[in-house]
Amino acid sequence: MAFMTWEPSFSVNDEELDRQHMRLVGLINSLHEAVAAGTPRPAMDRIASDVAMYARFHFRKEESLMAQHGYPAVGQHTREHAEFTASLDGFMRSLLAGQQPISEADTGFMKDWLRRHLLESDSCYAAHLVSSRAA
């Protein structure tokens, strides 16, 4: 069973963003599996880097769409993304410096953050996008 599974309640009613969210879930699952399997450092570095780079890519797309549709809480949403990205950067710095490998607690944090973010913050902009597109 996957570490994190996609749930219909995660949908933001935008096909592209839902696909991106699913990809992020998949990357976090891959990282968790690598941690659990004791994957060697070079492969672990690559997987962790993929999570961080894809999160940045997705956040830029999402923030652009929110701005395009005049979402009033885009600033707060962007700050949440920045805080998560800062956490990922911290994990990567520790990993690349050889100080501490990414742990199951780290992937648990990523999973919990993403789940909460999808259900709370993203659901708010999803409702705004639906009404904005209907207008």
Side-chain angles (χ1 to χ4, degrees), residues 39-113:
T39 300
R41 279 287 315 274
M44 183 71 72
D45 292 355
R46 185 175 21 80
I47 297 166
S49 178
D50 287 349
V51 172
M53 288 188 324
Y54 195 80
R56 279 188 176 77
F57 163 79
H58 166 67
F59 293 161
R60 281 191 306 271
K61 292 284 189 182
E62 196 174 72
E63 291 162 8
S64 175
L65 187 63
M66 286 186 275
Q68 178 184 348
H69 287 274
Y71 180 57
V74 68
Q76 172 59 34
H77 205 102
T78 300
R79 282 189 293 280
E80 290 178 25
H81 288 168
E83 290 168 6
F84 183 68
T85 302
S87 295
L88 294 178
D89 289 346
F91 298 147
M92 289 302 298
R93 276 192 303 277
S94 292
L95 181 65
L96 296 174
Q99 297 169 342
Q100 179 180 356
I102 291 186
S103 68
E104 289 190 26
D106 297 333
T107 58
F109 163 80
M110 293 175 202
K111 171 186 161 182
D112 293 344
W113 184 91

Side-chain angles (χ1 to χ4, degrees), residues 5-46:
T5 57
W6 177 261
E7 300 174 18
S9 60
F10 294 163
S11 176
V12 294
N13 299 310
D14 181 284
E15 194 173 313
E16 179 183 1
L17 292 179
D18 282 347
R19 271 196 312 271
Q20 290 176 10
H21 288 144
M22 288 178 202
R23 173 88 174 117
L24 198 49
V25 166
L27 287 168
I28 291 171
N29 281 335
S30 295
L31 183 58
H32 179 77
E33 290 168 14
V35 168
T39 300
R41 279 287 315 274
M44 183 71 72
D45 292 355
R46 185 175 21 80

